[in-house]
Coordinates of all heavy atoms in Angstrom, one line a residue:
M1 N -10.1 77.7 73.9 CA -9.4 76.5 74.5 C -10.3 75.9 75.6 O -10.9 76.7 76.3 CB -8.1 77.0 75.1 CG -7.4 75.9 75.9 SD -5.8 76.3 76.5 CE -4.9 76.2 75.0
Q2 N -10.4 74.7 75.6 CA -11.2 74.0 76.5 C -10.5 73.8 77.8 O -9.2 73.5 77.8 CB -11.6 72.6 76.0 CG -12.5 72.7 74.8 CD -13.9 73.2 75.2 OE1 -14.4 73.0 76.2 NE2 -14.4 74.0 74.3
P3 N -11.1 73.9 79.0 CA -10.4 73.6 80.2 C -10.1 72.1 80.4 O -10.8 71.3 79.8 CB -11.5 74.1 81.3 CG -12.8 74.1 80.6 CD -12.5 74.3 79.2
I4 N -9.1 71.9 81.2 CA -8.7 70.5 81.4 C -9.2 70.1 82.7 O -9.0 70.7 83.8 CB -7.2 70.4 81.3 CG1 -6.7 70.8 79.9 CG2 -6.7 69.0 81.7 CD1 -5.2 70.9 79.9
R5 N -10.0 69.0 82.8 CA -10.5 68.4 84.0 C -9.9 67.0 84.1 O -10.2 66.2 83.2 CB -12.0 68.4 84.1 CG -12.5 67.9 85.4 CD -14.0 68.0 85.5 NE -14.4 67.5 86.8 CZ -15.6 67.1 87.1 NH1 -16.5 67.1 86.1 NH2 -15.9 66.7 88.2
R6 N -9.2 66.7 85.2 CA -8.6 65.4 85.3 C -8.8 64.9 86.7 O -8.6 65.7 87.7 CB -7.1 65.6 85.1 CG -6.3 64.3 85.0 CD -4.9 64.5 84.8 NE -4.6 65.7 84.0 CZ -3.4 66.2 83.9 NH1 -2.4 65.6 84.6 NH2 -3.1 67.3 83.3
I7 N -9.3 63.7 86.9 CA -9.5 63.1 88.2 C -8.3 62.1 88.4 O -8.0 61.3 87.6 CB -10.8 62.3 88.2 CG1 -12.0 63.3 88.1 CG2 -10.9 61.5 89.5 CD1 -13.3 62.7 88.1
V8 N -7.6 62.3 89.5 CA -6.4 61.5 89.9 C -6.8 60.6 91.0 O -7.3 61.1 92.1 CB -5.2 62.4 90.2 CG1 -4.0 61.6 90.6 CG2 -5.0 63.4 89.1
D9 N -6.6 59.3 90.9 CA -7.0 58.4 92.0 C -6.0 58.4 93.1 O -6.3 58.3 94.3 CB -7.1 57.0 91.4 CG -8.3 56.8 90.5 OD1 -9.3 57.4 90.8 OD2 -8.2 56.1 89.5
D10 N -4.7 58.6 92.8 CA -3.7 58.7 93.8 C -2.8 59.9 93.6 O -2.0 60.0 92.7 CB -2.8 57.4 93.8 CG -1.8 57.4 94.9 OD1 -2.0 58.0 95.9 OD2 -0.7 56.7 94.7
A11 N -3.1 61.0 94.3 CA -2.5 62.3 94.0 C -1.0 62.2 94.3 O -0.5 61.8 95.3 CB -3.1 63.4 95.0
P12 N -0.2 62.8 93.3 CA 1.3 62.8 93.5 C 1.7 64.0 94.4 O 0.8 64.8 94.8 CB 1.8 63.0 92.1 CG 0.7 63.7 91.4 CD -0.6 63.2 92.0
D13 N 3.0 64.1 94.7 CA 3.5 65.2 95.5 C 3.4 66.5 94.7 O 3.2 67.6 95.4 CB 4.9 65.0 95.8 CG 5.1 63.8 96.8 OD1 4.1 63.5 97.5 OD2 6.1 63.1 96.8
S14 N 3.5 66.5 93.4 CA 3.4 67.8 92.6 C 2.5 67.5 91.4 O 2.4 66.3 91.0 CB 4.7 68.3 92.2 OG 5.4 67.3 91.4
V15 N 2.0 68.6 90.8 CA 1.1 68.4 89.7 C 1.8 69.2 88.5 O 2.1 70.3 88.7 CB -0.3 69.0 90.0 CG1 -1.1 68.9 88.7 CG2 -0.9 68.3 91.1
S16 N 1.9 68.5 87.4 CA 2.5 69.2 86.3 C 1.5 70.0 85.5 O 0.3 69.6 85.4 CB 3.2 68.2 85.3 OG 2.2 67.3 84.8
I17 N 1.9 71.1 85.0 CA 1.0 72.0 84.2 C 1.3 71.8 82.7 O 2.5 71.8 82.3 CB 1.3 73.5 84.6 CG1 1.1 73.8 86.1 CG2 0.4 74.4 83.8 CD1 -0.3 73.5 86.6
P18 N 0.3 71.6 81.9 CA 0.5 71.3 80.5 C 1.3 72.5 79.9 O 1.1 73.7 80.3 CB -0.9 71.2 79.9 CG -1.7 70.8 81.1 CD -1.1 71.4 82.3
E19 N 2.1 72.2 78.8 CA 2.9 73.3 78.2 C 2.1 74.4 77.7 O 2.4 75.6 77.8 CB 3.6 72.6 77.1 CG 4.7 73.6 76.4 CD 5.8 73.9 77.3 OE1 6.2 73.1 78.1 OE2 6.3 75.1 77.2
E20 N 0.8 74.2 77.1 CA 0.1 75.2 76.5 C -0.5 76.2 77.6 O -1.1 77.2 77.3 CB -1.1 74.7 75.6 CG -2.0 73.8 76.3 CD -1.7 72.3 76.3 OE1 -0.6 72.0 76.0 OE2 -2.5 71.5 76.7
L21 N -0.5 75.8 78.9 CA -1.1 76.6 79.9 C 0.0 77.3 80.8 O -0.3 78.1 81.6 CB -2.0 75.8 80.8 CG -3.2 75.2 80.2 CD1 -4.0 74.3 81.2 CD2 -4.1 76.3 79.7
R22 N 1.2 77.0 80.5 CA 2.3 77.6 81.3 C 2.5 79.1 81.0 O 2.2 79.5 79.8 CB 3.6 76.9 81.1 CG 3.6 75.5 81.7 CD 4.9 74.8 81.5 NE 4.7 73.4 82.0 CZ 5.6 72.4 81.8 NH1 6.7 72.7 81.1 NH2 5.4 71.3 82.2
H23 N 2.8 79.9 82.0 CA 3.1 81.3 81.8 C 1.8 82.0 81.4 O 1.8 83.0 80.6 CB 4.2 81.6 80.9 CG 5.5 80.9 81.3 ND1 6.2 81.2 82.4 CD2 6.1 79.9 80.7 CE1 7.2 80.4 82.5 NE2 7.2 79.6 81.5
R24 N 0.6 81.5 81.8 CA -0.7 82.2 81.5 C -1.4 82.3 82.8 O -1.1 81.7 83.8 CB -1.5 81.3 80.6 CG -0.8 81.1 79.2 CD -1.7 80.4 78.3 NE -3.0 81.1 78.0 CZ -3.9 80.6 77.3 NH1 -3.8 79.4 76.7 NH2 -5.0 81.3 77.1
R25 N -2.4 83.1 82.8 CA -3.3 83.3 84.0 C -4.2 82.1 84.0 O -5.0 81.9 83.1 CB -4.0 84.6 83.9 CG -4.8 84.9 85.1 CD -5.4 86.3 85.0 NE -6.0 86.7 86.2 CZ -7.3 87.0 86.3 NH1 -8.0 87.1 85.3 NH2 -7.8 87.3 87.5
I26 N -4.2 81.3 85.0 CA -5.1 80.1 85.1 C -5.7 80.0 86.5 O -5.3 80.7 87.4 CB -4.3 78.8 84.8 CG1 -3.2 78.5 85.9 CG2 -3.7 78.8 83.5 CD1 -2.6 77.1 85.9
E27 N -6.7 79.2 86.6 CA -7.3 78.9 87.9 C -7.1 77.4 88.2 O -7.5 76.6 87.4 CB -8.8 79.2 87.9 CG -9.5 78.9 89.2 CD -11.0 79.2 89.1 OE1 -11.5 79.4 88.0 OE2 -11.6 79.1 90.2
L28 N -6.5 77.1 89.3 CA -6.3 75.7 89.7 C -7.1 75.4 90.9 O -6.9 76.0 91.9 CB -4.8 75.5 89.9 CG -4.4 74.1 90.4 CD1 -4.6 73.1 89.2 CD2 -2.9 74.1 90.8
I29 N -8.0 74.4 90.8 CA -8.9 74.1 91.9 C -8.5 72.6 92.3 O -8.6 71.7 91.4 CB -10.4 74.2 91.5 CG1 -10.7 75.6 91.1 CG2 -11.2 73.7 92.6 CD1 -12.1 75.8 90.5
I30 N -8.2 72.4 93.5 CA -8.0 71.1 94.1 C -9.1 70.7 95.0 O -9.3 71.4 96.0 CB -6.6 71.0 94.8 CG1 -5.5 71.3 93.7 CG2 -6.4 69.6 95.4 CD1 -4.1 71.4 94.3
W31 N -9.9 69.7 94.7 CA -11.1 69.4 95.5 C -11.0 67.9 95.8 O -11.0 67.0 94.9 CB -12.3 69.7 94.6 CG -13.6 69.6 95.2 CD1 -14.3 68.5 95.6 CD2 -14.4 70.7 95.6 NE1 -15.4 68.8 96.2 CE2 -15.6 70.2 96.1 CE3 -14.3 72.1 95.4 CZ2 -16.6 71.0 96.6 CZ3 -15.3 72.9 95.8 CH2 -16.4 72.4 96.4
P32 N -11.0 67.5 97.1 CA -11.0 66.1 97.5 C -12.3 65.5 97.2 O -13.4 66.0 97.5 CB -10.7 66.1 99.0 CG -11.2 67.5 99.4 CD -11.0 68.4 98.3
L33 N -12.3 64.3 96.5 CA -13.5 63.6 96.0 C -13.9 62.5 97.0 O -15.0 61.9 96.9 CB -13.3 63.1 94.7 CG -13.0 64.1 93.6 CD1 -12.8 63.4 92.3 CD2 -14.2 65.0 93.4
D34 N -13.0 62.1 98.0 CA -13.3 61.0 98.8 C -14.0 61.4 100.1 O -14.3 60.5 100.9 CB -12.0 60.2 99.1 CG -10.9 61.0 99.7 OD1 -11.1 62.3 99.8 OD2 -9.9 60.5 100.1
E35 N -14.2 62.7 100.4 CA -14.9 63.1 101.6 C -16.3 63.5 101.3 O -16.6 64.1 100.3 CB -14.1 64.3 102.2 CG -12.7 64.0 102.6 CD -12.1 65.3 103.2 OE1 -12.7 66.3 103.3 OE2 -10.9 65.2 103.6
E36 N -17.2 63.1 102.2 CA -18.6 63.5 102.0 C -18.8 64.8 102.7 O -18.1 65.1 103.7 CB -19.5 62.4 102.7 CG -19.5 61.1 102.0 CD -20.5 60.1 102.6 OE1 -21.3 60.6 103.4 OE2 -20.3 58.9 102.4
P37 N -19.6 65.7 102.2 CA -19.9 66.9 102.9 C -20.4 66.8 104.3 O -21.2 65.8 104.5 CB -20.9 67.6 102.0 CG -21.2 66.7 100.8 CD -20.4 65.5 101.1
Q38 N -19.9 67.6 105.2 CA -20.4 67.4 106.6 C -21.8 68.0 106.7 O -22.1 69.1 106.2 CB -19.4 68.2 107.5 CG -18.0 67.6 107.5 CD -17.1 68.4 108.4 OE1 -17.5 69.4 109.0 NE2 -15.9 68.0 108.6
K39 N -22.6 67.3 107.3 CA -24.0 67.7 107.5 C -24.1 68.4 108.9 O -23.7 67.7 109.9 CB -25.0 66.5 107.5 CG -25.0 65.9 106.1 CD -26.0 64.7 106.0 CE -26.0 64.1 104.6 NZ -26.8 62.9 104.6
T40 N -24.5 69.6 109.0 CA -24.6 70.3 110.2 C -26.1 70.4 110.6 O -26.9 70.6 109.8 CB -24.0 71.7 110.1 OG1 -24.6 72.5 109.1 CG2 -22.5 71.6 109.8
L41 N -26.3 70.4 111.9 CA -27.7 70.6 112.4 C -28.0 72.0 112.4 O -27.1 72.9 112.7 CB -27.8 70.0 113.8 CG -27.5 68.5 113.9 CD1 -27.5 68.0 115.3 CD2 -28.6 67.7 113.1
P42 N -29.2 72.4 112.1 CA -29.6 73.8 112.2 C -29.5 74.3 113.6 O -29.9 73.6 114.5 CB -31.0 73.9 111.7 CG -31.5 72.5 111.6 CD -30.3 71.6 111.7
T43 N -28.9 75.5 113.7 CA -28.7 76.1 115.1 C -29.7 77.3 115.2 O -30.2 77.8 114.2 CB -27.3 76.6 115.3 OG1 -27.0 77.5 114.2 CG2 -26.3 75.4 115.1
R44 N -29.9 77.6 116.4 CA -30.7 78.8 116.7 C -30.0 80.0 116.3 O -28.8 80.2 116.4 CB -31.0 78.8 118.3 CG -31.9 79.9 118.7 CD -32.3 79.7 120.2 NE -33.3 80.6 120.5 CZ -33.0 81.7 121.2 NH1 -31.8 81.9 121.6 NH2 -34.0 82.6 121.5
P45 N -30.8 81.0 115.7 CA -30.1 82.2 115.2 C -29.5 83.0 116.4 O -30.0 82.9 117.6 CB -31.3 83.0 114.6 CG -32.5 82.3 115.0 CD -32.2 80.9 115.4
R46 N -28.5 83.7 116.1 CA -27.8 84.4 117.2 C -28.4 85.8 117.6 O -28.0 86.5 118.4 CB -26.3 84.7 116.7 CG -25.5 83.5 116.6 CD -24.1 83.8 116.2 NE -23.3 82.6 116.1 CZ -22.1 82.5 115.8 NH1 -21.4 83.6 115.5 NH2 -21.4 81.4 115.7
F47 N -29.5 86.1 116.9 CA -30.1 87.4 117.2 C -31.4 87.1 117.9 O -32.0 86.0 117.8 CB -30.4 88.2 115.9 CG -31.2 87.4 114.9 CD1 -32.6 87.4 114.9 CD2 -30.5 86.7 113.9 CE1 -33.3 86.7 113.9 CE2 -31.2 86.0 112.9 CZ -32.6 86.0 113.0
N48 N -31.9 88.0 118.7 CA -33.2 87.9 119.4 C -34.4 88.2 118.5 O -34.3 89.2 117.7 CB -33.2 88.8 120.6 CG -32.2 88.3 121.6 OD1 -31.9 87.2 121.7 ND2 -31.7 89.3 122.4
I49 N -35.4 87.4 118.6 CA -36.6 87.7 117.8 C -37.6 88.3 118.7 O -38.0 87.8 119.8 CB -37.2 86.4 117.2 CG1 -36.1 85.7 116.3 CG2 -38.5 86.6 116.5 CD1 -36.5 84.4 115.8
A50 N -38.1 89.5 118.3 CA -39.1 90.2 119.1 C -40.5 89.6 119.0 O -40.9 89.3 117.9 CB -39.2 91.7 118.7
Q51 N -41.1 89.5 120.1 CA -42.5 88.9 120.1 C -43.4 90.1 120.2 O -43.6 90.7 121.2 CB -42.7 88.1 121.4 CG -41.7 86.8 121.4 CD -42.0 85.8 120.3 OE1 -43.1 85.7 119.9 NE2 -40.9 85.2 119.9
V52 N -44.0 90.4 119.0 CA -44.9 91.6 118.9 C -46.3 91.1 118.3 O -46.4 90.1 117.6 CB -44.3 92.7 118.1 CG1 -43.1 93.3 118.7 CG2 -44.0 92.2 116.7
D53 N -47.3 91.9 118.6 CA -48.7 91.6 118.1 C -48.9 92.2 116.7 O -49.6 91.6 115.9 CB -49.7 92.1 119.1 CG -49.7 91.4 120.4 OD1 -49.3 90.2 120.4 OD2 -50.0 92.0 121.4
H54 N -48.3 93.4 116.5 CA -48.5 94.0 115.2 C -47.3 94.8 114.8 O -46.6 95.4 115.6 CB -49.7 95.0 115.4 CG -50.0 95.9 114.2 ND1 -50.6 95.3 113.1 CD2 -49.8 97.1 114.0 CE1 -50.7 96.3 112.2 NE2 -50.2 97.4 112.7
I55 N -47.0 94.8 113.5 CA -45.9 95.6 112.9 C -46.5 96.7 112.1 O -47.3 96.5 111.2 CB -45.0 94.7 112.1 CG1 -44.4 93.6 112.9 CG2 -43.9 95.5 111.4 CD1 -43.5 92.6 112.1
D56 N -46.1 97.9 112.5 CA -46.7 99.1 111.8 C -45.7 99.5 110.7 O -44.5 100.0 111.1 CB -46.9 100.2 112.8 CG -47.6 101.4 112.1 OD1 -48.2 101.2 111.1 OD2 -47.6 102.5 112.7
I57 N -46.0 99.4 109.5 CA -45.1 99.8 108.4 C -45.7 101.0 107.7 O -46.8 100.9 107.1 CB -44.9 98.6 107.4 CG1 -44.3 97.4 108.1 CG2 -44.0 99.1 106.2 CD1 -44.2 96.2 107.2
P58 N -45.0 102.1 107.7 CA -45.5 103.3 107.1 C -45.5 103.2 105.5 O -44.8 102.4 105.0 CB -44.6 104.4 107.5 CG -43.4 103.8 107.9 CD -43.7 102.4 108.4
S59 N -46.4 103.9 104.9 CA -46.5 103.9 103.5 C -45.3 104.5 102.9 O -44.5 105.2 103.5 CB -47.8 104.6 103.0 OG -47.7 106.0 103.2
R60 N -45.1 104.4 101.5 CA -44.0 105.0 100.9 C -44.0 106.5 101.0 O -43.0 107.1 101.2 CB -44.0 104.6 99.4 CG -42.8 105.2 98.6 CD -42.9 104.9 97.2 NE -42.5 103.5 97.0 CZ -42.5 102.8 95.9 NH1 -42.7 103.5 94.8 NH2 -42.2 101.6 95.8
E61 N -45.2 107.1 100.9 CA -45.3 108.5 101.0 C -44.9 109.0 102.4 O -44.3 110.0 102.6 CB -46.7 109.0 100.7 CG -47.1 108.8 99.2 CD -47.5 107.4 98.8 OE1 -47.8 106.6 99.7 OE2 -47.4 107.1 97.6
E62 N -45.3 108.2 103.4 CA -45.0 108.6 104.8 C -43.5 108.5 105.1 O -42.9 109.3 105.7 CB -45.8 107.8 105.8 CG -47.3 108.1 105.8 CD -48.0 107.1 106.7 OE1 -47.6 105.9 106.8 OE2 -49.1 107.5 107.2
R63 N -42.9 107.5 104.5 CA -41.5 107.3 104.7 C -40.7 108.3 104.0 O -39.6 108.7 104.5 CB -41.0 105.9 104.1 CG -41.5 104.7 105.0 CD -40.8 103.4 104.5 NE -40.9 103.3 103.1 CZ -41.6 102.3 102.5 NH1 -42.2 101.4 103.2 NH2 -41.7 102.2 101.2
N64 N -41.1 108.8 102.8 CA -40.3 109.8 102.1 C -40.8 111.2 102.2 O -40.3 112.1 101.5 CB -40.4 109.4 100.6 CG -39.7 108.1 100.3 OD1 -38.8 107.7 101.0 ND2 -40.3 107.3 99.4
A65 N -41.7 111.5 103.1 CA -42.2 112.8 103.4 C -41.1 113.7 103.9 O -40.3 113.3 104.8 CB -43.4 112.8 104.3
R66 N -41.0 114.9 103.3 CA -40.0 115.9 103.8 C -40.5 116.5 105.1 O -41.7 116.9 105.2 CB -39.7 116.9 102.8 CG -39.2 116.4 101.5 CD -37.9 116.9 101.1 NE -37.5 116.3 99.8 CZ -36.3 116.0 99.6 NH1 -35.4 116.2 100.5 NH2 -36.0 115.5 98.4
R67 N -39.7 116.7 106.1 CA -40.1 117.2 107.3 C -39.7 118.7 107.4 O -38.9 119.2 106.9 CB -39.5 116.4 108.5 CG -40.0 115.0 108.5 CD -39.4 114.3 109.6 NE -39.9 112.9 109.4 CZ -39.7 112.0 110.3 NH1 -39.2 112.2 111.4 NH2 -40.1 110.8 110.1

């Protein structure tokens, strides 16, 4: 069965469900088409960034060595 996609110019108070889809598990998505997505300005991250000269990453063998 093909999904039904319908664009309504003037939304009514209620939406009727087609007979073949009643009493079945369905997904109903209501998405406004007349609003533009809000553009947000990038913000500074909420975590502190460490200022370091060198990052020491141990090898896989050193990380997994049994002590």
Side-chain angles (χ1 to χ4, degrees):
M1 175 177 283
Q2 294 294 323
I4 298 172
R5 181 177 184 199
R6 188 180 333 166
I7 295 178
V8 179
D9 291 325
D10 186 22
D13 292 332
S14 63
V15 178
S16 61
I17 304 297
E19 186 68 34
E20 61 270 10
L21 296 177
R22 291 183 187 170
H23 306 291
R24 296 182 66 182
R25 185 173 186 237
I26 65 169
E27 177 181 12
L28 179 66
I29 299 173
I30 299 176
W31 191 286
L33 298 177
D34 56 355
E35 295 179 4
E36 293 183 18
Q38 295 180 357
K39 296 179 181 177
T40 58
L41 296 175
T43 58
R44 185 168 184 259
R46 293 183 179 179
F47 55 86
N48 293 328
I49 299 174
Q51 300 294 326
V52 296
D53 295 330
H54 177 72
I55 298 175
D56 186 19
I57 300 175
S59 68
R60 177 181 292 181
E61 291 79 20
E62 290 173 332
R63 288 191 309 244
N64 296 325
R66 302 238 181 217
R67 296 180 187 193

